[in-house]
Structure formats: structure tokens, C-alpha cells
Amino acid sequence: MVSWTDRGEGSRREFLRDAAAAGAVVASASPMAALARAIPRRARGKSVAVLGGGMAGLTAAHELIERGFKVTVYEPVRLGGKARSIPVPGTAKGKRRALPGEHGFRFFPGFYHHVPDSMRRIPYGDNPNGVWDNLVDATGTLSARANGRPDALFLGILWAPNEILSVEGLRQILLEEILGGKGLRPDELAFFVQRLLIFVTSCDERRYGQWEKVPWWEFVQADRFSDEYRTIIARGLTRSLVAAKEEVASTRTIGNMGEAFVMNILGRGNDGALDRVLNAPTNEAWINPWVRHLRKLGVRFEVGQKVTGLELKGGEVESAVAVDWRGRKRRIDADWFVCAMPAERARRLWNKKVLKADPKLEGMNDLFVDWMVGIQYFLREKIEITRGHITFADSPWALTALTQAQFWEHRNFPKTYGDGKAVDCLSVDISDWDTPGLLYNKPAKKCTPKQVAKEVWAQIEAHLADRGEFALNKKMVHSWFLDPGVTWDPKRKRNRNATPLLVNTAGSWEKRPEAATEVPNLFLSGDYVKNDIDLATMEGANESARDAVIALLDRVGSKADPPAKYKLYDPPEFEPLKAIDRELYKAGLPNVLEVRGAQRAAARG
């Protein structure tokens, strides 16, 4: 879930590659487009098979159908993928709807731009801006601590967007407003802020050539400091936000997201409010209206079709092979194919013929996926914690949560969902499935679903029990629902997960493919594809789908306007420092702020 600002402008995060001779990083304004032009354009029909109906697939279908293509989407499970709502089976009573489960709560930070652009083009009742008007502001956040540690609250945007930003000004904002009060020692906080400033003033060449290859743990020098520093800085900024292991996550990716969130807080380049959520379950507010709109435009949907293979002839995809719920095979014929499946599923399609046509796709086998899965607690009583997201900073399982009914103001929860006894939903994301918990001393992967539910509740209680504003108790829980993608294997005594997320490990950028492959009629769409936001998010999936359509239009030789593209905000005030850093990097020297930081430390010592 991420966003951009200036349409098609700015040098930020241009795709960069390692130069073979010197190991330097060279910029390419659009290697995807260059690759598309390198393959001869071919006269062929306009039928497109979109393989996957999640965020990437629906976006590709939307952009293609608006440009006159004949589009069919093939989806194995349910349209919407991980972004959809999941009705809890057997919970609808009377004329009510089923309780609204989900893969995990979702939010729309102000720096998202591709997703909001799509939303504005989806009609919804009398909304002048379509589905986009179903976004409501989450005006508060809470970082709850256990064992009596002080909680941290944050409200609102801190900075007037038109004010000049300087390195020292940003340092003070980070020290006093954004990171202050988190329980860190002053020296640790100052050190971390200096590391952030080093990243923010690093040129793209250094980001791709150096920081891409450095794990976040190493960049923030977690081994040097306290357990509190490791919990908040090394672990908290990776596992809670992006479900990435701090020891292996790329500094470039985590740094990019840290910078995007800071600019978001400062109101720079935002599409809307700092933090937004939907005013109803996702299917009701977004996915169902989207599918209806696409059907009206002419998109065909084939649900229950799992694509299992690609058949090539003459170096091009001749057809795809799919299997339905009953195990019956079918052949999918089309002129063009957009693979909009997750990385771990897409790479199963790369047979010998595919890899012969595009050997670089083999690099996808080295991409790493991990778990970030949600559980919902349907409550008999409403609890008022904050009007926004909650991070349970000390939780072993890196929990984050949101109480949802407060945002569904046009839905009377007990009259609309379930049996009338549940009045709210506490939706929780579990980002760490490998660390032992409090109750069973086992990681979530080795807990039964019932144990997962008890353990998550216990970790939440440990963080909220000392607040004194309200008391949690088990009687509040009407029922709970764990993402059905997680299934318990009684023989192996561990869970399986059908819906993992890509983790941007250090050095993985070069393993990731472009949207345009060297197979002339095959394109890739998914958050694993190289994209500007560069994270497993709805925004990344949406952006990559636009890149796939741009590449397809290029190969067709279409004169249609390409889909709109956006870039993450790049503060112009720091361009002079980045220009200096570019020369320093070329000379093999560190960032100037890294040198100054070392000099200050030496002076203090």
C-alpha cells in the first residue's frame, strides 16, 4: 500500500543497475520500456488473458479494457485477492450479512497515488469521486507498550508543506516530534536520526549500489545499542510495518518507506490525509463496485480457474493451462498474457521454454516470502482505544490492530452483520510468525488456530492492561476469525500459509523482473515486479499493473494514452546534497553526513 506525487516527473527511484565492469550503479530512465522496444512489434489481436484477480489483476484489467482490449480475468479463489473481505462462514443470521473477516486490515497512507487514482474511476452511488470518497481519515495512532512503559500517541500533520525543509530542520522534527518520547536514550535517538539523514541525503546510485546490499540491522548498527533500541528501531520499523526480518531486510527498501512515511507526516506530496481507511468492509466499499464496473465495461471473469502452466510455441505463449475446482483442465487462448499472480505462484509457471526465452526470470527463485496474516476478534462491547492504528510495540508477534466499527459510520454493526450480538471488530495483523509467544512459548507457525487466537489476545492484554482507561476481558470476545489461507497440518504440527508476502531482502532487487519479459506476449504484474514503491503493498501491485499495460501498449504500437504513473515524493531541498553524494559515491567515499557523524562521535569520545 503506497503512493506517489508528481505524475511522471522526478528522478527519484529511477531504475538503476549494477555496471558489470566497476560495480557502479547506472541509471536507466525506463529499462522496462527499453526492453519492450527491443522486441519487434507484432500485428496480433487484442484479446488479453489476465492470470490472477487480485489487486494487480484487477488494475491491469481496468487499464486494458479502457483502451479497447478484450479482457478475461482468471482467478483461482476470489476476486480481490489479499485485499478482499472474507465473509465468515455460518455467521449470517436473519437478514444480516456474514461477519466481515479479512486477510488483514488495510490502510491507505497519504503517499498512495496509484490506488486512489483507480478508486476515483470506480463509480459508487452519488459519490463525486467514486470509491475514493469511501476513504475516511484515521486521525490518531497509538504505540502501546507493555510492562508499564509509556505509550506514544501521534496526531495530525506536523509541518506546513510549503515550509522550507533543511537537514537540521528535519533532524529537529525527527528528534522532538516523530521519534521523541519513544523511550530511547538520547544518544541512541540521536544516532538513529543521523542514520536516517544519511539515507535521505544519499543519491540513487548509493541507494541501489550500497544500501540495497546492506541489511537494515547492519545499517542502524543494532548490535551496538540497547534492547530498547533493537525493539523499536531495528525490529519495530521492519516487522510491524512491512513484515520483514530486520537481519535480512534491504536498507534501501526500509529507508525508502521510512522516508515516505516522514514526508507523509510532513504533508509533502500527499494524495489526501496522513492515514485513511475505508468506511465499510473492503468488498462493500471497493472490490464489489470495482468488479461491477469492470463487467459493465466488458471484462469477463472466470473464477475457480487455477493457472498451472504456460505453453510456448516459437518463443511466444501460445496458451495457458488452468485447472478448475473439480480438477478439470482447460486451455486458455489469448493474444497477450498478463501474469498477475504472486511471486511464489508465478515462478512455478517458468518451465524450460519460458526460461530459455527469458533466463532472467530464474532469479525469481531466490526471492523470499514471509507471513503477515490477520485475525479478527468480533466483540460484544465496543472499545475506544484510538481513532486509528495501534502498534503493540513489545509484542513477540509484532502485532498491529484497528477497531473498525468506528469508521463504518453508515453501518450499524449489530444490525448489519452476524447474529446481532457482535458490535465491533478488532482486526489484528500478525507480522512475526517465528518468535515464541507468551502463553505457549511457541511461534505462531507452530500454534493451532485456537492457540493463535488465545496468544494474540494475551499479547494485546499485556499492552493495554496498564492504560487504566478500560479493561480487556475474554468475555468481550463474541468470536474470532483467522485468515483461511492459514491452515493447520496435524501431522507436521505446524501451519501452512497460502498467502505469504514478498520480503525485500538485501540484494534482491537484481533478482526481481521487469513488467515486460523477453517473451513477446507475456507481461508481469504484481508487487514483486520492480516498481517505485518497492514493497509488498496494494500500491506496488497497482503500479506494476500499469507498467505491464504500458509495455503491452508499446509492443502493440498503440497510440492510446498510457496509464498514469506517479513517483514517491522527493524533497527538492536535498537535491544539492544528493548531487554532492553522487560524486562522493563515484569516488568510493561515504556520504558527507556519515563523515560528520563520525567526527562528532570522535569529538565526544
Side-chain angles (χ1 to χ4, degrees):
M1 328 164 192
V2 178
S3 68
W4 330 102
T5 57
D6 299 327
R7 179 180 298 189
E9 296 180 357
S11 62
R12 165 66 109 208
R13 319 225 195 333
E14 295 176 340
F15 293 126
L16 302 165
R17 296 178 179 276
D18 289 334
V25 178
V26 294
S28 173
S30 180
M32 179 275 295
L35 176 57
R37 288 191 295 272
I39 296 175
R41 293 170 177 169
R42 307 213 174 184
R44 58 171 69 241
K46 301 192 77 173
S47 66
V48 184
V50 177
L51 312 180
M55 180 57 53
L58 292 177
T59 303
H62 196 166
E63 301 295 343
L64 287 164
I65 200 71
E66 288 187 342
R67 288 162 178 80
F69 288 85
K70 181 181 178 182
V71 183
T72 304
V73 176
Y74 299 88
E75 163 59 34
V77 184
R78 294 286 186 274
L79 297 172
K82 290 188 281 288
R84 76 188 192 280
S85 305
I86 307 173
V88 181
T91 60
K93 304 295 181 182
K95 296 182 179 180
R96 299 179 186 88
R97 304 167 194 171
L99 290 169
E102 56 192 359
H103 170 76
F105 70 78
R106 54 202 54 87
F107 76 113
F108 303 79
F111 58 87
Y112 274 22
H113 286 267
H114 293 100
V115 167
D117 175 72
S118 293
M119 287 178 153
R120 288 185 175 94
R121 292 151 50 205
I122 304 168
Y124 189 95
D126 297 328
N127 287 0
N129 298 298
V131 163
W132 186 86
D133 288 334
N134 290 339
L135 293 173
V136 295
D137 298 355
T139 55
T141 62
L142 171 67
S143 179
R145 304 298 305 273
N147 302 317
R149 295 184 179 93
D151 298 333
L153 287 166
F154 173 74
L155 297 170
I157 291 177
L158 293 173
W159 194 259
N162 58 349
E163 290 192 46
I164 300 298
L165 190 62
S166 66
V167 170
E168 290 307 312
L170 182 56
R171 186 192 306 276
Q172 292 306 310
I173 292 170
L174 290 168
L175 285 172
E176 298 174 7
E177 302 288 347
I178 297 178
L179 294 171
K182 296 295 189 298
L184 293 176
R185 296 192 327 239
D187 61 314
E188 293 179 335
L189 178 58
F191 176 83
F192 175 61
V193 167
Q194 182 72 7
R195 300 304 289 171
L196 284 182
L197 294 174
I198 289 168
F199 184 87
V200 168
T201 57
S202 289
C203 62
D204 284 335
E205 287 85 350
R206 188 182 300 278
R207 293 189 186 200
Y208 282 86
Q210 182 177 359
W211 303 138
E212 163 65 18
K213 300 174 176 63
V214 175
W216 179 250
W217 181 274
E218 181 180 332
F219 178 76
V220 300
Q221 300 183 25
D223 285 332
R224 289 181 52 191
F225 297 107
S226 67
D227 288 341
E228 197 78 350
Y229 180 89
R230 289 189 283 271
T231 296
I232 296 172
I233 299 303
R235 187 172 187 265
L237 294 181
T238 54
R239 304 206 179 200
S240 295
L241 291 178
V242 298
K245 291 182 170 61
E246 59 277 5
E247 295 92 344
V248 299
S250 162
T251 289
R252 183 183 64 82
T253 295
I254 304 304
N256 283 347
M257 283 301 91
E259 181 179 13
F261 276 106
V262 169
M263 292 300 121
N264 192 26
I265 292 170
L266 300 183
R268 292 287 189 101
N270 288 9
D271 172 82
L274 176 67
D275 180 10
R276 300 162 293 179
V277 297
L278 288 166
N279 63 2
T282 311
N283 278 10
E284 298 176 34
W286 181 18
I287 302 300
N288 290 347
W290 199 1
V291 172
R292 285 196 298 268
H293 179 58
L294 294 182
R295 280 200 172 107
K296 186 176 181 180
L297 293 177
V299 176
R300 292 179 59 243
F301 292 97
E302 298 278 354
V303 180
Q305 302 293 323
K306 181 180 180 181
V307 176
T308 58
L310 298 175
E311 296 179 348
L312 270 65
K313 184 177 181 180
E316 299 186 7
V317 179
E318 183 179 39
S319 63
V321 177
V323 179
D324 67 14
W325 286 324
R326 297 181 180 179
R328 297 174 299 190
K329 287 187 178 182
R330 65 175 291 184
R331 173 186 170 116
I332 298 172
D333 294 311
D335 299 306
W336 309 93
F337 293 82
V338 176
C339 180
M341 299 159 61
E344 71 280 0
R345 287 180 50 211
R347 60 192 178 195
R348 298 174 193 169
L349 303 181
W350 310 151
N351 55 38
K352 291 182 180 179
K353 288 186 177 181
V354 173
L355 292 177
K356 182 179 179 181
D358 191 345
K360 293 190 297 297
L361 292 177
E362 194 164 5
M364 285 180 59
N365 290 328
D366 295 328
L367 298 182
F368 178 70
V369 295
D370 208 346
W371 298 21
M372 185 176 188
V373 183
I375 184 171
Q376 289 80 55
Y377 295 92
F378 299 102
L379 307 176
R380 300 179 189 276
E381 305 173 30
K382 283 192 175 183
I383 53 174
E384 296 183 3
I385 304 174
T386 187
R387 188 174 172 80
H389 294 91
I390 312 151
T391 299
F392 301 99
D394 302 310
S395 56
W397 290 1
L399 306 179
T400 49
L402 182 78
T403 53
Q404 295 184 315
Q406 63 181 320
F407 298 104
W408 300 351
E409 296 174 351
H410 301 295
R411 302 285 194 281
N412 184 309
F413 196 99
K415 290 184 178 180
T416 307
Y417 305 105
D419 59 4
K421 296 179 181 178
V423 301
D424 204 345
C425 174
L426 176 64
S427 187
V428 185
D429 277 356
I430 307 169
S431 299
D432 186 338
W433 287 73
D434 297 302
T435 299
L438 303 177
L439 297 180
Y440 305 102
N441 196 33
K442 293 191 299 184
K445 287 179 179 176
K446 294 185 178 181
C447 288
T448 66
K450 187 175 182 179
Q451 289 174 333
V452 169
K454 289 184 176 180
E455 177 68 46
V456 170
W457 188 262
Q459 293 184 28
I460 292 174
E461 280 190 309
H463 283 72
L464 298 180
D466 59 355
R467 284 181 58 80
E469 298 175 20
F470 60 85
L472 287 181
N473 62 76
K474 296 177 182 178
K475 293 180 180 180
M476 286 181 173
V477 180
H478 169 278
S479 55
W480 54 267
F481 178 72
L482 182 64
D483 183 336
V486 175
T487 55
W488 176 253
D489 185 337
K491 292 184 179 179
R492 299 177 65 217
K493 294 185 177 181
R494 62 182 295 123
N495 289 302
R496 300 177 184 271
N497 182 14
T499 54
L501 292 176
L502 175 75
V503 174
N504 301 61
T505 55
S508 63
W509 175 260
E510 63 185 17
K511 303 289 186 179
R512 291 164 58 189
E514 308 285 353
T517 75
E518 294 185 21
V519 180
N521 63 337
L522 176 64
F523 307 88
L524 306 182
S525 172
D527 53 24
Y528 67 93
V529 177
K530 288 179 177 177
N531 62 78
D532 189 65
I533 193 160
D534 193 34
L535 195 67
T537 60
M538 297 184 293
E539 179 78 358
N542 189 299
E543 182 195 358
S544 71
R546 294 166 187 247
D547 283 336
V549 173
I550 291 170
L552 194 156
L553 292 173
D554 186 82
R555 288 193 183 164
V556 171
S558 172
K559 295 181 180 179
D561 290 336
K565 288 296 300 298
Y566 305 86
K567 305 283 286 183
L568 283 169
Y569 183 79
D570 192 0
E573 296 96 329
F574 295 156
E575 284 304 318
L577 283 171
K578 290 177 185 177
I580 294 172
D581 188 59
R582 187 169 294 112
E583 297 305 314
L584 291 172
Y585 180 73
K586 288 178 182 178
L589 298 173
N591 180 281
V592 65
L593 295 185
E594 190 153 18
V595 174
R596 291 177 184 173
Q599 291 172 342
R600 289 174 182 172
R604 287 193 301 267

